[in-house]
């Protein structure tokens, strides 16, 4: 199981340090086996710790160059970052990143053998059009992405569930995850309003290999609680 924290544009260098210290101690003291991944803002990137992978929320598909406001692999290398989020819905829908850009990023960083957390998920109008429309939309987002890439992790994150407090229902998650698993056997996380109250149910679902968490991960104690829930499920101790 993997539980990943997307800190978005929250936290500073110093608060990320305290955050990682707290999470790292929690994992060590509680013998947590669930894998913890943290995506801090770019200004707070730092090397991974033994028990926490630190990844980047975004990078341009280049080593370096004239890409104002972006960072490339050279800047990631400085911190030994080898894990990257690609295609998050906020990049797609707020920053206007299109299918070409996400694909170019995937290709560039896969070529460099980065671990890639690739996000897919439909906006509300597609969900309202029905399950077939949802799967067609997701398949289009994955078009051209090498689903056999060894360091690929997928995250199903319905746009309408992100940051809204309203997670997808277990039925919705089960049907989309099972359809994706039908053509891709990579680890598949669910993301979209996962929190302490619903994590046990979501993480126990067939085809859910972990969670990508935004809001509920921003306070280290809450992220630790989510790790603990996932770990208990993984160890067969219940929710
Ligand atoms: C996310 O941004 O990846 C996310 C899942 O956010 P939230 O948990 O706040 O819905």
């Amino acid at each position: 199981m993997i539980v990943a924290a997307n800190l978005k544009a929250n936290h500073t260098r110093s608060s990320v340090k305290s955050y990682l210290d707290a999470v790292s101690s929690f994992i060590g003291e509680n013998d947590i086996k669930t894998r913890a991944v943290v995506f801090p803002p770019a200004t707070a990137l730092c090397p991974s710790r033994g028990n926490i992978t630190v990844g980047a929320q975004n990078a341009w598909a280049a080593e370096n160059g004239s890409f104002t406001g972006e960072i490339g692999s050279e800047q990631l290398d400085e911190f030994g970052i080898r894990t990257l989020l690609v295609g998050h819905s906020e990049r797609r829908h707020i920053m206007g990143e299109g299918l070409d850009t996400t694909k170019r990023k995937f290709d560039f960083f896969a070529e460099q053998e980065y671990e890639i957390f690739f996000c897919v998920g439909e906006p509300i109008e597609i969900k309202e059009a029905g399950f077939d429309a949802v799967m067609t939309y997701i398949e289009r987002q994955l078009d051209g992405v090498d689903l056999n890439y060894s360091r690929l992790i997928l995250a199903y994150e319905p746009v309408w569930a992100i940051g809204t407090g309203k997670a997808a229902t277990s039925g919705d998650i089960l049907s989309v995850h099972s359809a994706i698993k039908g053509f891709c056997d990579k680890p598949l996380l669910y993301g979209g309003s996962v929190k302490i109250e619903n994590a046990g149910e979501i993480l126990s679902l067939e085809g859910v290999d972990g969670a990508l968490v935004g809001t509920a991960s921003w306070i280290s104690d809450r992220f630790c609680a989510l790790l603990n829930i996932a770990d208990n499920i993984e160890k067969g101790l219940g929710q």
Side-chain angles (χ1 to χ4, degrees):
M1 197 100 77
I2 299 169
V3 180
N6 178 7
L7 301 186
K8 311 195 186 192
N10 299 291
H11 281 282
T12 60
R13 281 166 67 80
S14 92
S15 69
V16 165
K17 186 180 175 308
S18 312
Y19 181 102
L20 292 173
D21 286 345
V23 175
S24 183
S25 304
F26 179 83
I27 291 172
E29 284 159 14
N30 294 282
D31 191 29
I32 299 288
K33 300 292 184 224
T34 289
R35 184 174 168 212
V37 181
V38 176
F39 295 97
T43 54
L45 287 175
C46 58
S48 292
R49 316 246 178 135
N51 52 19
I52 307 173
T53 301
V54 175
Q57 295 173 20
N58 176 48
W60 195 246
E63 186 184 342
N64 53 35
S66 299
F67 305 108
T68 303
E70 293 285 341
I71 56 173
S73 61
E74 183 176 88
Q75 287 74 40
L76 300 180
D77 283 350
E78 189 171 13
F79 302 103
I81 301 288
R82 300 293 303 161
T83 294
L84 181 66
L85 206 54
V86 174
H88 188 275
S89 80
E90 283 151 14
R91 294 222 53 91
R92 293 181 193 265
H93 297 282
I94 301 177
M95 286 78 177
E97 220 168 77
L99 296 174
D100 287 355
T101 306
T102 49
K103 161 108 173 56
R104 192 175 335 143
K105 288 182 178 185
F106 175 84
D107 287 344
F108 178 83
F109 286 100
E111 177 70 30
Q112 318 282 319
E113 297 180 0
Y114 277 69
E115 176 180 51
I116 297 175
F117 283 61
F118 195 92
C119 305
V120 295
E122 80 288 354
I124 188 68
E125 65 275 14
I126 300 292
K127 172 171 174 47
E128 285 168 351
F131 178 72
D132 289 349
V134 170
M135 290 316 300
T136 302
Y137 190 91
I138 290 172
E139 280 165 26
R140 215 171 144 237
Q141 291 179 315
L142 290 171
D143 192 29
V145 171
D146 178 5
L147 298 179
N148 294 315
Y149 176 55
S150 61
R151 305 200 70 206
L152 173 64
I153 291 166
L154 292 177
Y156 169 55
E157 297 208 303
V159 179
W160 46 270
I162 295 183
T164 60
K166 281 188 73 178
T169 62
S170 292
D172 285 337
I173 299 171
L174 275 172
S175 40
V176 173
H177 276 236
S178 127
I180 295 175
K181 290 274 184 190
F183 60 82
C184 179
D185 66 354
K186 297 298 171 184
L188 177 56
L189 314 185
Y190 168 77
S193 297
V194 173
K195 47 194 166 200
I196 293 169
E197 296 77 4
N198 62 16
E201 180 178 340
I202 292 173
L203 291 169
S204 302
L205 295 172
E206 175 92 29
V208 173
D209 302 310
L212 177 54
V213 189
T215 316
S217 72
W218 298 343
I219 294 172
S220 59
D221 283 358
R222 293 199 188 144
F223 184 55
C224 290
L226 292 171
L227 286 170
N228 200 38
I229 291 168
D231 195 59
N232 281 340
I233 293 170
E234 214 170 346
K235 288 175 178 158
L237 301 174
Q239 299 179 19

